[in-house]
Amino acid sequence: MQIKIPIEVSGRHIHISKKDLETLFGEGYQLNKIKQLSQPEEFACEEFVKVEVGAKSFEKVRIVGPLREETQVEISLTDAVGSGIVPPVRLSGDLEDSLPVIIVSPKGSVELQQGLIVAKRHIHCATTEAEELGFKNNDVVSVKTEGERGLIFDNVIVRVSDNYKLAMHIDTDEGNAAGINKIGEGIILK
Amino acid sequence: MQIKIPIEVSGRHIHISKKDLETLFGEGYQLNKIKQLSQPEEFACEEFVKVEVGAKSFEKVRIVGPLREETQVEISLTDAVGSGIVPPVRLSGDLEDSLPVIIVSPKGSVELQQGLIVAKRHIHCATTEAEELGFKNNDVVSVKTEGERGLIFDNVIVRVSDNYKLAMHIDTDEGNAAGINKIGEGIILK
C-alpha cells in the first residue's frame, strides 16, 4: 500500500514553558499567534528570542505555541556547525540528557541544562487516520520522495493523537537533501 | 548484489581555472597542496578565497586542486539561504546556465556569469572497479545508509574514470540528513 503524505520542513524554532516565557517576557505574558500551523494545536507566534548554542548564537528564533511543559529548542545539524556541540537527534518532548541552551530576550535570559535537540523525523497522524491507514503510535515507516534529489527516509516514527493531522515533519537539512523547500510530498512505504 | 561504499561529505569549496587563479593570486601562481583527497588527482589547497553569492558572502572557501578548465563553486542549499538565489543541483563540470558568483582574494576579484552550483550526489568509480561491479559511466543507482537517520539516496550518478576510486560524494545537507559527519559508509543497491 502506498499512502501520499504532505512533507513540511521545520526551520529552527523554540517551544517554551510558561515559566520561561514569563522570565523572558514578563509575568502573565500571552503569546501572540500570527499563523496557524498544519497541526491543529500548533501556531507560529509573533515573538522571537535569541538562542545561544555553545559558541554560536541565533538572533531571531521564532516561538511556536502553545506553551509546553518544558522549553525545547530545535536546530539543524548544519546550525550546530561552529558551535562546538552536536545536539542529539530526538523526538519532540524527549529531552532527558539533551544539551544545554541559553535563551535571551530584551527583558531577561534563561539558562537551561537541557532542551536543545535536533528533531527526529516523524509523522503526525490523527487517531481516525491511523485506524484507516493501519498505523499505531510509534510505528516505524519509510517515506519516499521524488525528484532530482529523491530519496527514501527510513526510521520515520509515526505519532498518533486526536490532536494531529497527517503530515511528515523533517528539518532543513533533510529538506535540502531531498530538494524540498518548505513543503513537499512523499509516499509512505508500508 | 550489495556493494559497500565509503561516503564522503563535501563542504563548500571551489575548483579554479588557471586564468582566474592568476587574477586572484598573481601571474604564474602555483597552488599549494596541503592534503590528498580520496580521488587520486584531487587535493585540498592551502589557499582560501572569499565567495560572494547573491546577497551573502563566505569568507574562507577552500580551493580544491588541480586546476580546472572552468572555475566552479559548490555550496549547499542551506548555504544559499539568505542569498536570494538558489543554485541548480548539477554534476561537477556541468556549468551551463549555472549561477553567477564573485570570487575575491586580497589581490583581486573575478566576477563569473556562471559557475555556482549545488553538487549532485554521485559515485566516483575506477574503470577497473566498474568492470568488477558491473557499472558503466552515468549509471543511476541507490545507496542505503544505516543508523538513526538512515535513508536511501536515489538518483545517484555513477561516474567512471581511470582517475577515480570508489567513493560516494554528498554535500553537507545530505550528510546531516543522513547523520553522517564527514565520512560514513553506504550500501549500493543494484
Side-chain angles (χ1 to χ4, degrees):
Chain A
M1 184 170 59
Q2 293 196 330
I3 302 155
K4 276 191 188 173
I5 184 167
I7 299 179
E8 299 169 352
V9 180
S10 304
R12 54 181 174 263
H13 64 275
I14 175 170
H15 302 279
I16 200 158
S17 69
K18 183 169 190 297
K19 177 169 163 279
D20 292 340
L21 180 71
E22 292 194 335
T23 305
L24 293 165
F25 289 87
E27 213 182 308
Y29 190 86
Q30 300 286 321
L31 289 170
N32 291 290
K33 172 178 175 171
I34 54 160
K35 191 186 166 195
Q36 175 64 42
L37 299 178
S38 75
Q39 297 308 306
E41 296 197 332
E42 303 264 304
F43 54 91
C45 300
E46 196 179 278
E47 289 80 5
F48 292 102
V49 289
K50 178 180 172 184
V51 169
E52 296 179 4
V53 171
K56 212 170 170 181
S57 68
F58 300 96
E59 285 298 328
K60 285 185 81 180
V61 178
R62 191 179 294 283
I63 298 179
V64 171
L67 294 174
R68 294 263 184 116
E69 281 301 307
E70 206 174 344
T71 295
Q72 168 178 314
V73 175
E74 299 176 36
I75 65 171
S76 72
L77 287 168
T78 295
D79 286 337
V81 171
S83 71
I85 59 176
V86 181
V89 177
R90 291 287 182 80
L91 283 176
S92 190
D94 177 14
L95 299 181
E96 200 178 319
D97 296 326
S98 61
L99 291 190
V101 60
I102 296 170
I103 303 153
V104 182
S105 77
K107 287 199 170 174
S109 72
V110 174
E111 195 170 337
L112 299 174
Q113 287 314 300
Q114 60 179 38
L116 181 71
I117 62 169
V118 169
K120 187 174 173 65
R121 53 206 186 214
H122 58 278
I123 287 172
H124 291 277
C125 187
T127 310
T128 49
E129 290 167 330
E131 280 165 14
E132 209 173 294
L133 300 172
F135 290 139
K136 52 186 197 307
N137 196 36
N138 290 324
D139 272 358
V140 179
V141 299
S142 294
V143 175
K144 180 177 172 64
T145 71
E146 297 290 347
E148 182 168 46
R149 286 199 144 185
L151 51 73
I152 298 170
F153 290 112
D154 290 330
N155 301 340
V156 182
I157 310 295
V158 180
R159 307 189 77 184
V160 179
S161 161
D162 290 348
N163 304 323
Y164 291 161
K165 187 181 156 192
L166 193 67
M168 177 173 180
H169 285 178
I170 58 179
D171 75 3
T172 47
D173 288 335
E174 294 170 317
N176 286 328
I180 295 173
N181 180 27
K182 292 182 185 154
I183 291 180
E185 192 178 72
I187 301 280
I188 305 175
L189 307 178
K190 279 198 78 179
Chain B
M1 184 170 58
Q2 293 196 329
I3 302 154
K4 275 192 190 174
I5 184 167
I7 298 179
E8 299 169 355
V9 179
S10 303
R12 54 180 174 263
H13 64 277
I14 175 171
H15 302 279
I16 200 159
S17 68
K18 183 169 188 299
K19 177 168 162 282
D20 292 340
L21 181 71
E22 293 193 335
T23 303
L24 293 165
F25 289 87
E27 212 183 308
Y29 190 86
Q30 300 285 321
L31 289 170
N32 292 289
K33 173 177 174 172
I34 55 161
K35 191 185 167 197
Q36 175 64 42
L37 299 178
S38 75
Q39 298 308 305
E41 296 196 331
E42 302 264 305
F43 53 91
C45 300
E46 196 178 278
E47 289 82 4
F48 292 103
V49 289
K50 179 180 171 185
V51 170
E52 296 179 4
V53 171
K56 210 169 169 182
S57 68
F58 301 97
E59 285 299 327
K60 287 186 80 182
V61 177
R62 191 179 295 283
I63 298 178
V64 171
L67 295 174
R68 295 265 184 116
E69 281 301 305
E70 207 175 343
T71 294
Q72 168 177 315
V73 175
E74 299 176 36
I75 66 172
S76 71
L77 287 169
T78 295
D79 287 336
V81 172
S83 72
I85 59 176
V86 181
V89 177
R90 291 288 182 79
L91 283 176
S92 190
D94 177 14
L95 299 181
E96 201 177 318
D97 296 325
S98 60
L99 291 190
V101 61
I102 297 170
I103 303 154
V104 183
S105 76
K107 286 197 170 173
S109 72
V110 173
E111 195 169 338
L112 299 174
Q113 287 314 300
Q114 61 178 39
L116 180 71
I117 62 169
V118 169
K120 188 174 170 65
R121 52 207 186 213
H122 58 277
I123 287 172
H124 290 277
C125 186
T127 309
T128 50
E129 290 168 330
E131 281 165 13
E132 210 173 291
L133 301 171
F135 290 139
K136 52 186 197 310
N137 196 36
N138 291 323
D139 272 358
V140 179
V141 299
S142 294
V143 176
K144 182 178 173 62
T145 71
E146 298 289 348
E148 183 168 45
R149 286 199 144 185
L151 51 73
I152 299 171
F153 290 112
D154 290 330
N155 301 340
V156 183
I157 309 294
V158 180
R159 307 189 76 183
V160 178
S161 160
D162 289 349
N163 304 324
Y164 290 161
K165 187 180 156 192
L166 193 67
M168 177 174 179
H169 285 178
I170 58 179
D171 75 4
T172 47
D173 287 335
E174 294 170 318
N176 286 328
I180 296 173
N181 181 25
K182 290 182 185 155
I183 290 179
E185 193 177 71
I187 302 281
I188 305 175
L189 308 178
K190 281 200 75 179

